[in-house]
């Protein structure tokens, strides 16, 4: 049966004028009433320094023109709500609308960060319940919702571990990181004042316990591990590695960015992790991309709980309060108590799926990744013979055979209405294509993606210029990406007559 296909972007207009270029003199979107006698002008109300006087050439359009212009522009973007978005390691899955509806409830959306605790009991109760749910999911003893993003969660976890070692009077200043680590891991270590030691992966792409044993010593504070790793593989020696680290007095930090493969199925706390960070804006289905907002809670074992950022939620006879009396805390890393809207969305997601539903989501994500991997192995083999978890990393030799690069394959996918996958990562795989389908895509969507990849592979062999010049159906084909990044034109400039 021929797979159903997603709509392509062949109907996109080839050129969308700037709103300034649509302007017609004296056309109005709305008519404001004339000022009444005695009323004050805008300059009198705001101050003349805040009122622009250089609006010559400001666009004059009707309301429908404005609406259609910006709606059209919005649809030239690729977005998870519009297309398949298999961006590996980013978990761009569907965000159920009910989560947004819960976050928009007046009691949640209108609450002020400075609201006294006795007037915010409902919000604090939700935060306490979310902490308990995340502790159950991760197998950890205490959760802090404080960090605003995954990278800040990494920094928070490292500072907590540093405070723990210092409290014990130990000068441990090194952190081991595998060569397949997320790029934020070494950056977070450096920001927290640690020296980074790199552990080489073995020939199968896994962490090697003997390599970790070689690096571990009395000056090592911890090891940061992403599990599943950035090759989309579960680390088989994780428990042994945790044990040997603990024997040396070091701790195990688990980067939970790939928790979409484990949620409801396996717990980092049971693997020996002492700290784990979660990306609510990935695994727990809250929107992300475009710079936030995010949420990167961390979970810790009991001996690290005193060092968590403050204040901490505490239940008293007066209800929920924030406990400020925590002498060993690393203190605040940001204002207030996290991005609350993200917390509401994550709690709504967990409640709506329940324990069995969370496990099913992870299992379906793993099934989708292995389905894509297996169907494409005849033209894009996997970087590892091991079964994939929630994402698969594919490789190819097309560039040496046909001149078609991984970047050009990604560009060509745009013509099929598909957001490109992550490319050239992890760095240990030459020409890598990292694909994360997630659990929310149908078999028809996956088949459409597979069909597009097979066609691109065939074009690379028989008509490489079609791939090298892609995309063909978008408003813009190729731009000078370096020029666009270094010298962007952000202000409208009138065209010369």
């Amino acid at each position: 049966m021929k797979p159903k296909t997603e709509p392509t972007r062949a109907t996109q207009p080839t050129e969308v004028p700037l709103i300034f270029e649509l302007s017609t003199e004296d056309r109005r979107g709305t008519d404001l009433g004339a000022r009444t006698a005695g009323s004050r002008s805008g300059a009198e109300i705001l101050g003349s320094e805040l009122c622009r006087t250089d609006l010559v050439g400001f666009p004059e359009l009707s309301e429908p023109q404005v609406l259609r212009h910006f709606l059209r522009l919005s649809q030239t973007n690729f977005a998870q709500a519009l297309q398949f978005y298999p961006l590996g390691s980013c978990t761009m899955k569907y965000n159920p609308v009910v989560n947004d509806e819960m976050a928009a409830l007046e009691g949640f959306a209108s609450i002020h960060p400075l609201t006294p605790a006795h007037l915010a009991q409902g919000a604090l109760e939700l935060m306490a319940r979310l902490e308990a749910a995340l502790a159950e999911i991760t197998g950890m003893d205490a959760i802090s919702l404080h960090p605003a993003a995954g990278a800040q969660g990494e920094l928070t976890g490292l500072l907590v571990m540093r405070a723990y070692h210092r409290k014990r009077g130990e000068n441990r200043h090194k952190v081991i990181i595998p060569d397949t680590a997320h790029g934020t891991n070494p950056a977070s270590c450096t920001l927290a004042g640690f020296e980074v030691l790199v552990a080489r992966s073995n020939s199968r792409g896994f962490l090697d316990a003997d390599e970790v044993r070689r690096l571990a010593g009395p000056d090592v504070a911890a090891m940061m591990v992403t599990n599943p790793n950035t090759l989309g593989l579960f680390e088989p020696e994780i428990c042994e590695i945790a044990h040997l680290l603990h024997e040396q007095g070091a701790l195990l930090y688990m980067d939970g960015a790939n928790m979409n493969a484990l949620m409801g199925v396996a717990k980092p706390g049971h693997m020996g992790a002492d700290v784990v960070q979660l990306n609510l804006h990935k695994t727990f289905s809250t929107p992300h991309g475009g710079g936030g907002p995010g949420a990167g809670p961390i979970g810790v074992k009991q001996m690290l709980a005193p060092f968590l950022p403050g204040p901490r939620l505490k239940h008293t006879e007066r209800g929920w309060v924030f406990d400020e009396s925590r002498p060993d805390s690393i203190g605040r890393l940001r204002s207030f108590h996290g991005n609350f809207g993200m917390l509401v969305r994550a709690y709504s997601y967990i409640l709506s799926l329940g324990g069995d539903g969370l496990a099913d989501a992870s299992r379906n994500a793993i099934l989708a990744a292995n389905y894509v991997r297996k169907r494409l192995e005849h033209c894009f083999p996997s970087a590892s013979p091991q079964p994939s978890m929630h994402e698969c990393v594919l490789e190819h030799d097309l560039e040496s055979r046909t001149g078609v690069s991984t970047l050009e394959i990604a560009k060509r996918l745009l013509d099929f209405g598909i957001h490109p996958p992550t490319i050239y990562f992890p760095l240990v795989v030459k020409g890598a294509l990292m694909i994360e389908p997630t659990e929310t895509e149908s078999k028809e969507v996956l088949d459409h993606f597979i069909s597009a990849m097979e066609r691109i592979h065939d074009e690379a062999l028989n008509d490489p210029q079609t791939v090298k010049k892609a995309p063909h159906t978008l408003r813009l084909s190729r731009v000078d990406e370096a020029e666009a990044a270094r010298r962007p034109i952000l202000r409208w400039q009138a065209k010369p007559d």
Side-chain angles (χ1 to χ4, degrees):
M1 177 180 173
K2 186 178 179 180
K4 297 176 182 177
T5 58
E6 294 286 300
T8 68
R9 294 180 160 262
T11 56
Q12 276 199 9
T14 55
E15 185 174 355
V16 177
L18 299 177
I19 196 166
F20 291 88
E21 297 164 349
L22 295 173
S23 179
T24 300
E25 188 174 356
D26 293 332
R27 183 164 293 171
R28 294 286 182 271
T30 184
D31 286 321
L32 300 178
R35 290 195 297 130
T36 58
S39 62
R40 295 190 298 166
S41 67
E44 290 171 326
I45 296 171
L46 300 173
S48 58
E49 71 278 9
L50 297 178
C51 294
R52 294 181 61 174
T53 58
D54 58 343
L55 294 181
V56 176
F58 203 70
E60 299 175 84
L61 301 97
S62 67
E63 182 175 327
Q65 281 183 299
V66 174
L67 174 68
R68 289 168 184 167
H69 176 74
F70 286 109
L71 184 60
R72 184 177 297 115
L73 285 182
S74 74
Q75 293 179 336
T76 62
N77 287 331
F78 273 72
Q80 192 283 327
L82 295 171
Q83 290 98 6
F84 182 37
Y85 209 114
L87 197 62
S89 207
C90 284
T91 316
M92 299 294 289
K93 60 183 180 183
Y94 171 69
N95 303 303
V97 177
V98 66
N99 300 342
D100 289 330
E101 292 178 349
M102 296 301 103
L105 290 173
E106 185 178 358
F108 291 144
S110 301
I111 193 168
H112 192 279
L114 293 176
T115 302
H118 72 278
L119 297 177
Q121 287 297 294
L124 301 186
E125 173 79 20
L126 181 143
M127 293 171 68
R129 292 189 183 194
L130 178 59
E131 285 188 358
L134 295 179
E136 174 65 26
I137 291 168
T138 58
M140 308 305 278
D141 298 320
I143 299 287
S144 170
L145 303 175
H146 185 82
Q152 194 177 52
E154 292 179 25
L155 177 62
T156 305
L158 287 162
L159 293 179
V160 165
M161 292 193 290
R162 187 179 69 174
Y164 167 77
H165 288 306
R166 286 184 174 179
K167 182 75 174 179
R168 292 163 56 90
E170 298 185 53
N171 178 26
R172 293 176 178 266
H173 56 278
K174 297 180 180 177
V175 173
I176 304 171
I177 292 179
D179 56 8
T180 57
H182 282 126
T184 50
N185 291 174
S188 297
C189 286
T190 302
L191 198 59
F194 288 108
E195 179 184 339
V196 173
L197 301 176
V198 177
R200 297 186 299 270
S201 303
N202 62 26
S203 59
R204 297 184 301 153
F206 293 123
L207 281 175
D208 190 303
D210 289 337
E211 171 74 351
V212 177
R213 186 177 290 106
R214 182 181 70 82
L215 296 172
D219 54 355
V220 170
M223 180 171 187
M224 295 185 83
V225 174
T226 301
N227 193 25
N229 63 26
T230 54
L231 284 166
L233 308 174
F234 189 87
E235 294 287 357
E237 297 185 9
I238 187 66
C239 293
E240 181 181 354
I241 288 170
H243 180 67
L244 71 88
L245 287 169
H246 292 158
E247 278 188 330
Q248 294 286 335
L251 303 172
L252 177 62
Y253 178 101
M254 189 175 291
D255 183 327
N258 289 344
M259 193 69 189
N260 210 55
L262 304 180
M263 175 180 61
V265 177
K267 301 182 180 184
H270 293 179
M271 303 173 201
D274 301 290
V275 183
V276 63
Q277 122 267 341
L278 300 170
N279 292 23
L280 298 189
H281 47 284
K282 294 170 68 173
T283 309
F284 295 94
S285 183
T286 61
H288 70 299
I298 65 167
V300 300
K301 290 296 189 181
Q302 190 59 48
M303 78 282 192
L304 297 173
F307 306 98
L308 287 172
R312 296 275 294 151
L313 274 174
K314 180 180 180 181
H315 196 264
T316 70
E317 60 184 14
R318 295 179 289 114
W320 291 103
V321 299
F322 281 114
D323 181 12
E324 304 274 0
S325 58
R326 306 185 66 253
D328 291 329
S329 168
I330 63 170
R332 283 185 177 274
L333 274 78
R334 67 183 305 274
S335 60
F336 303 118
H337 312 297
N339 287 322
F340 183 65
M342 298 298 102
L343 307 183
V344 176
R345 289 175 173 88
Y347 187 59
S348 172
Y349 177 72
I350 292 170
L351 277 190
S352 60
L353 265 67
D356 291 342
L358 294 175
D360 285 344
S362 287
R363 294 188 183 107
N364 285 331
I366 294 170
L367 179 63
N370 282 282
Y371 178 72
V372 168
R373 167 192 167 134
K374 192 67 179 175
R375 288 282 311 276
L376 285 176
E377 65 181 3
H378 64 286
C379 51
F380 294 97
S382 174
S384 171
Q386 311 302 320
S388 297
M389 297 295 286
H390 65 308
E391 59 193 1
C392 55
V393 179
L394 309 182
E395 57 186 355
H396 65 92
D397 60 355
L398 289 174
E399 186 156 14
S400 61
R401 297 165 61 195
T402 69
V404 171
S405 68
T406 300
L407 175 66
E408 289 159 346
I409 294 171
K411 296 284 188 185
R412 180 66 173 130
L413 277 170
L414 295 168
D415 287 327
F416 296 88
I418 298 169
H419 190 284
T422 297
I423 57 175
Y424 301 120
F425 184 78
L427 301 178
V428 295
V429 177
K430 189 175 181 179
L433 288 150
M434 179 189 279
I435 297 154
E436 184 176 3
T438 81
E439 72 278 12
T440 55
E441 299 300 336
S442 67
K443 181 174 178 295
E444 288 77 13
V445 170
L446 300 183
D447 286 340
H448 170 60
F449 172 72
I450 292 164
S451 174
M453 289 290 286
E454 289 173 331
R455 177 168 166 179
I456 293 170
H457 184 268
D458 182 65
E459 289 174 345
L461 296 176
N462 301 298
D463 182 18
Q465 290 305 310
T466 296
V467 186
K468 293 174 76 66
K469 293 180 179 178
H472 303 281
T473 60
L474 304 191
R475 187 170 67 86
L476 296 175
S477 180
R478 294 289 183 99
V479 297
D480 185 329
E481 295 180 5
E483 184 77 7
R486 294 174 181 173
R487 281 186 283 273
I489 300 173
L490 302 178
R491 279 180 169 270
W492 173 68
Q493 300 170 1
K495 292 181 179 177
D497 294 333

